[in-house]
Amino acid sequence: MKIDKKHNLRAVAHVLLLSLMAVTIIACQEIKEPSEYDKWEERNQTFVDSISDLTAGRVVVSAADADAMEVGTYYAIETSASTNYKLQYIYVKKLLANSEGLRPYYTDAAFVYYYGTNILGERFDGNFIGFTAIDKRTLDGHENLPTQFNTPSKFFVDSSIIAGWKTALQYMREGERWMVFIPYQSAYGKSGSSSILGYSMLCFDMIVDQVIRQ
């Protein structure tokens, strides 16, 4: 019987091609393993909605409203990121109150302790170890306070800080501690910043240590 070498070579090449395709498919399947950041926009929006629901329609619109905020209760505050199409809000919960503390004006600066996390509770910035986005709903403002090893950071309210921070700082007083939840529209938007992904809602444990009048 005559052996067709060309046929055999084609058969071998076909087998090799099928093997390569199988390896490629397996590799693609491995690459497509679920990520903790899958459906990130959708998951962040769900988190925003859950916090918004906790406000039960309570909205802070003035300094007097901020002073009257009950410790441990959620409120919404309209931010400077508002548009003609839809108002934007940050969501806050006062953990410590101080009716006698100074409140920074837009032209002032403030020394602030802060701890920033995403909705997974992952830290992206901060100068002390505070509460995260996934900590229990009932938080004691006297826990997880800054220590002698921590140093507050100075921020100018009218600087290039995100809109959510500008808003929160102008309603807080010295000595107050708030949990502040900032949707992406009032944070780093759709594109994100550095390690912060686009569409990220940011959670901050914030303490205004000192207001500096300018």
Side-chain angles (χ1 to χ4, degrees):
M1 181 176 67
K2 186 177 180 179
I3 299 176
D4 188 340
K5 292 183 178 180
K6 290 184 178 180
H7 177 76
N8 285 345
L9 288 174
R10 284 197 297 270
V12 171
H14 183 66
V15 171
L16 289 174
L17 179 60
L18 290 177
S19 299
L20 180 61
M21 290 174 63
V23 170
T24 301
I25 292 173
I26 292 173
C28 289
Q29 289 175 338
E30 291 177 350
I31 292 173
K32 293 180 180 179
E33 283 291 324
S35 163
E36 59 182 335
Y37 305 112
D38 280 355
K39 298 183 179 179
W40 191 241
E41 179 182 0
E42 177 183 330
R43 290 164 61 194
N44 275 267
Q45 186 57 54
T46 298
F47 194 97
V48 172
D49 293 341
S50 69
I51 296 295
S52 176
D53 288 344
L54 293 174
T55 67
R58 291 180 291 269
V59 180
V60 171
V61 297
S62 68
D65 287 343
D67 288 338
M69 285 169 54
E70 296 181 23
V71 171
T73 300
Y74 286 86
Y75 295 82
I77 305 177
E78 184 181 336
T79 80
S80 57
S82 300
T83 69
N84 293 329
Y85 301 101
K86 184 178 181 180
L87 297 179
Q88 301 299 327
Y89 295 91
I90 60 172
Y91 304 96
V92 301
K93 179 166 70 168
K94 186 184 292 185
L95 303 183
L96 288 177
N98 180 22
S99 61
E100 302 301 318
L102 291 178
R103 176 177 284 119
Y105 301 139
Y106 187 75
T107 54
D108 291 337
F111 282 98
V112 183
Y113 288 105
Y114 69 102
Y115 188 65
T117 61
N118 62 19
I119 63 170
L120 302 178
E122 298 172 337
R123 176 190 182 278
F124 57 80
D125 198 7
N127 52 32
F128 85 113
I129 305 301
F131 295 118
T132 76
I134 59 175
D135 279 317
K136 56 186 181 297
R137 297 294 186 186
T138 303
L139 304 177
D140 184 344
H142 297 281
E143 295 180 354
N144 288 17
L145 288 169
T147 70
Q148 60 180 331
F149 302 105
N150 302 126
T151 303
S153 301
K154 185 178 183 180
F155 295 95
F156 290 89
V157 180
D158 65 351
S159 66
S160 58
I161 57 176
I162 59 176
W165 259 66
K166 289 181 187 290
T167 299
L169 284 177
Q170 291 177 86
Y171 281 97
M172 295 180 72
R173 288 184 179 273
E174 283 178 336
E176 290 197 333
R177 182 180 189 180
W178 291 16
M179 292 298 294
V180 181
F181 302 87
I182 306 177
Y184 77 87
Q185 294 94 333
S186 299
Y188 291 108
K190 299 178 181 180
S191 58
S193 175
S194 187
S195 64
I196 300 173
L197 299 177
Y199 298 103
S200 290
M201 181 182 201
L202 308 183
C203 171
F204 291 96
D205 183 348
M206 296 174 60
I207 302 172
V208 175
D209 186 62
Q210 182 182 6
V211 171
I212 309 298
R213 287 278 185 249
Q214 299 298 303

